[in-house]
Amino acid sequence: MQIQINTANNIDGREALVAAVEADVRAGLSRFGDRLTRIELHIGDESGGPSGGGDTRCMIEARPQGQDPMTVTDHAATPDLAVSGALRKMTTALDRVFGKQDDKRGH
């Protein structure tokens, strides 16, 4: 599973954030690792201020093998909260999709 993290220029501590987010994504989505080819995150401060502290958005796009990409978005006060909220939403969506596939196959 390939992970790509994109941050806006107005996010403080981008390098440390990227390392922490990648670890969170690997841990949070590890059980789907063999079924996903790529995970892409976009993190940005929608208020546009250089100091942050505004409306932070995290969008996650997951690409399951042989299927259309899935996207979720979460807004929060900090990048960490936005990422964890988006990871929760993506986990729920992937559980639903893969659960339906497994059920159809009789597993």
Side-chain angles (χ1 to χ4, degrees):
M1 169 174 62
Q2 180 183 7
I3 299 174
Q4 180 177 344
I5 301 169
N6 304 301
T7 62
N9 291 336
N10 60 352
I11 298 290
D12 293 332
R14 290 172 48 192
E15 292 80 21
L17 175 67
V18 167
V21 167
E22 184 169 352
D24 289 346
V25 170
R26 286 201 187 280
L29 300 178
S30 64
R31 68 178 182 219
F32 306 112
D34 59 334
R35 297 175 128 179
L36 299 173
T37 59
R38 181 182 175 110
I39 301 290
E40 193 167 332
L41 283 86
H42 297 273
I43 304 167
D45 184 355
E46 292 189 332
S47 66
S51 63
D55 190 22
T56 303
R57 177 183 61 91
C58 177
M59 189 274 298
I60 301 178
E61 179 181 297
R63 298 181 184 207
Q65 293 178 356
Q67 297 179 30
D68 292 334
M70 301 170 57
T71 305
V72 297
T73 303
D74 194 63
H75 293 83
T78 66
D80 292 335
L81 292 174
V83 168
S84 63
L87 276 173
R88 274 192 311 274
K89 289 179 181 181
M90 182 56 74
T91 301
T92 300
L94 291 171
D95 275 335
R96 187 177 311 119
V97 168
F98 292 143
K100 287 180 181 179
Q101 287 176 355
D102 292 345
D103 193 40
K104 287 180 184 177
R105 294 182 186 146
H107 293 95

